[in-house]
PDB file of all heavy atoms in Angstrom:
ATOM      1  N   GLU T  56     -78.031  75.036-164.654  1.00 92.00           N
ATOM      2  CA  GLU T  56     -77.101  75.732-163.656  1.00 92.00           C
ATOM      3  C   GLU T  56     -77.748  76.145-162.383  1.00 92.00           C
ATOM      4  O   GLU T  56     -77.120  76.671-161.503  1.00 92.00           O
ATOM      5  CB  GLU T  56     -76.534  77.024-164.418  1.00 92.00           C
ATOM      6  CG  GLU T  56     -75.635  76.595-165.603  1.00 92.00           C
ATOM      7  CD  GLU T  56     -75.190  77.918-166.267  1.00 92.00           C
ATOM      8  OE1 GLU T  56     -75.452  79.009-165.859  1.00 92.00           O
ATOM      9  OE2 GLU T  56     -74.482  77.712-167.318  1.00 92.00           O
ATOM     10  N   ARG T  57     -79.057  75.942-162.329  1.00 91.00           N
ATOM     11  CA  ARG T  57     -79.776  76.373-161.087  1.00 91.00           C
ATOM     12  C   ARG T  57     -79.311  75.411-160.001  1.00 91.00           C
ATOM     13  O   ARG T  57     -79.356  75.811-158.723  1.00 91.00           O
ATOM     14  CB  ARG T  57     -81.302  76.271-161.275  1.00 91.00           C
ATOM     15  CG  ARG T  57     -81.808  77.370-162.163  1.00 91.00           C
ATOM     16  CD  ARG T  57     -83.287  77.105-162.446  1.00 91.00           C
ATOM     17  NE  ARG T  57     -83.849  78.044-163.492  1.00 91.00           N
ATOM     18  CZ  ARG T  57     -83.794  77.865-164.748  1.00 91.00           C
ATOM     19  NH1 ARG T  57     -83.307  76.808-165.257  1.00 91.00           N
ATOM     20  NH2 ARG T  57     -84.306  78.784-165.548  1.00 91.00           N
ATOM     21  N   MET T  58     -78.970  74.142-160.305  1.00 89.00           N
ATOM     22  CA  MET T  58     -78.528  73.242-159.268  1.00 89.00           C
ATOM     23  C   MET T  58     -77.134  73.683-158.741  1.00 89.00           C
ATOM     24  O   MET T  58     -76.301  73.974-159.469  1.00 89.00           O
ATOM     25  CB  MET T  58     -78.333  71.798-159.837  1.00 89.00           C
ATOM     26  CG  MET T  58     -79.660  71.095-160.095  1.00 89.00           C
ATOM     27  SD  MET T  58     -80.702  70.947-158.657  1.00 89.00           S
ATOM     28  CE  MET T  58     -79.652  70.090-157.502  1.00 89.00           C
ATOM     29  N   GLY T  59     -77.070  73.772-157.396  1.00 82.00           N
ATOM     30  CA  GLY T  59     -75.884  74.259-156.773  1.00 82.00           C
ATOM     31  C   GLY T  59     -75.799  75.790-156.731  1.00 82.00           C
ATOM     32  O   GLY T  59     -74.924  76.276-156.066  1.00 82.00           O
ATOM     33  N   GLY T  60     -76.782  76.389-157.368  1.00 84.00           N
ATOM     34  CA  GLY T  60     -76.828  77.877-157.296  1.00 84.00           C
ATOM     35  C   GLY T  60     -78.071  78.343-156.558  1.00 84.00           C
ATOM     36  O   GLY T  60     -78.147  78.258-155.339  1.00 84.00           O
ATOM     37  N   GLU T  61     -79.187  78.626-157.372  1.00 86.00           N
ATOM     38  CA  GLU T  61     -80.473  78.948-156.727  1.00 86.00           C
ATOM     39  C   GLU T  61     -80.958  77.771-155.926  1.00 86.00           C
ATOM     40  O   GLU T  61     -81.750  78.007-154.962  1.00 86.00           O
ATOM     41  CB  GLU T  61     -81.406  79.355-157.891  1.00 86.00           C
ATOM     42  CG  GLU T  61     -81.097  80.528-158.622  1.00 86.00           C
ATOM     43  CD  GLU T  61     -81.973  80.741-159.831  1.00 86.00           C
ATOM     44  OE1 GLU T  61     -83.082  81.295-159.585  1.00 86.00           O
ATOM     45  OE2 GLU T  61     -81.560  80.372-160.912  1.00 86.00           O
ATOM     46  N   ILE T  62     -80.750  76.623-156.413  1.00 90.00           N
ATOM     47  CA  ILE T  62     -81.218  75.318-155.704  1.00 90.00           C
ATOM     48  C   ILE T  62     -79.998  74.733-155.025  1.00 90.00           C
ATOM     49  O   ILE T  62     -79.203  74.123-155.656  1.00 90.00           O
ATOM     50  CB  ILE T  62     -81.856  74.366-156.668  1.00 90.00           C
ATOM     51  CG1 ILE T  62     -82.962  75.076-157.512  1.00 90.00           C
ATOM     52  CG2 ILE T  62     -82.378  73.161-155.972  1.00 90.00           C
ATOM     53  CD1 ILE T  62     -83.444  74.196-158.681  1.00 90.00           C
ATOM     54  N   HIS T  63     -80.004  74.894-153.754  1.00 87.00           N
ATOM     55  CA  HIS T  63     -78.769  74.341-152.997  1.00 87.00           C
ATOM     56  C   HIS T  63     -78.848  72.806-152.854  1.00 87.00           C
ATOM     57  O   HIS T  63     -77.900  72.193-153.006  1.00 87.00           O
ATOM     58  CB  HIS T  63     -78.743  75.075-151.614  1.00 87.00           C
ATOM     59  CG  HIS T  63     -77.638  74.527-150.740  1.00 87.00           C
ATOM     60  ND1 HIS T  63     -76.317  74.815-151.029  1.00 87.00           N
ATOM     61  CD2 HIS T  63     -77.576  73.652-149.692  1.00 87.00           C
ATOM     62  CE1 HIS T  63     -75.526  74.207-150.139  1.00 87.00           C
ATOM     63  NE2 HIS T  63     -76.266  73.592-149.335  1.00 87.00           N
ATOM     64  N   ALA T  64     -80.080  72.305-152.630  1.00 91.00           N
ATOM     65  CA  ALA T  64     -80.236  70.874-152.480  1.00 91.00           C
ATOM     66  C   ALA T  64     -81.596  70.446-152.962  1.00 91.00           C
ATOM     67  O   ALA T  64     -82.576  71.134-152.688  1.00 91.00           O
ATOM     68  CB  ALA T  64     -80.016  70.448-151.014  1.00 91.00           C
ATOM     69  N   LEU T  65     -81.567  69.270-153.649  1.00 93.00           N
ATOM     70  CA  LEU T  65     -82.839  68.723-154.183  1.00 93.00           C
ATOM     71  C   LEU T  65     -82.791  67.226-153.909  1.00 93.00           C
ATOM     72  O   LEU T  65     -82.042  66.560-154.579  1.00 93.00           O
ATOM     73  CB  LEU T  65     -83.039  68.968-155.625  1.00 93.00           C
ATOM     74  CG  LEU T  65     -84.288  68.350-156.304  1.00 93.00           C
ATOM     75  CD1 LEU T  65     -85.568  68.757-155.683  1.00 93.00           C
ATOM     76  CD2 LEU T  65     -84.289  68.644-157.846  1.00 93.00           C
ATOM     77  N   SER T  66     -83.549  66.728-152.957  1.00 95.00           N
ATOM     78  CA  SER T  66     -83.651  65.333-152.635  1.00 95.00           C
ATOM     79  C   SER T  66     -84.782  64.739-153.534  1.00 95.00           C
ATOM     80  O   SER T  66     -85.863  65.310-153.530  1.00 95.00           O
ATOM     81  CB  SER T  66     -84.064  65.174-151.202  1.00 95.00           C
ATOM     82  OG  SER T  66     -84.309  63.810-150.880  1.00 95.00           O
ATOM     83  N   LEU T  67     -84.418  63.694-154.261  1.00 97.00           N
ATOM     84  CA  LEU T  67     -85.359  63.160-155.266  1.00 97.00           C
ATOM     85  C   LEU T  67     -85.810  61.778-154.965  1.00 97.00           C
ATOM     86  O   LEU T  67     -85.021  60.954-154.493  1.00 97.00           O
ATOM     87  CB  LEU T  67     -84.697  63.184-156.641  1.00 97.00           C
ATOM     88  CG  LEU T  67     -84.526  64.511-157.305  1.00 97.00           C
ATOM     89  CD1 LEU T  67     -83.699  64.374-158.630  1.00 97.00           C
ATOM     90  CD2 LEU T  67     -85.865  65.216-157.620  1.00 97.00           C
TER      91      LEU T  67
END
Side-chain angles (χ1 to χ4, degrees):
E56 295 177 3
R57 293 173 183 89
M58 286 303 304
E61 296 171 81
I62 304 168
H63 179 71
L65 174 61
S66 173
L67 288 173

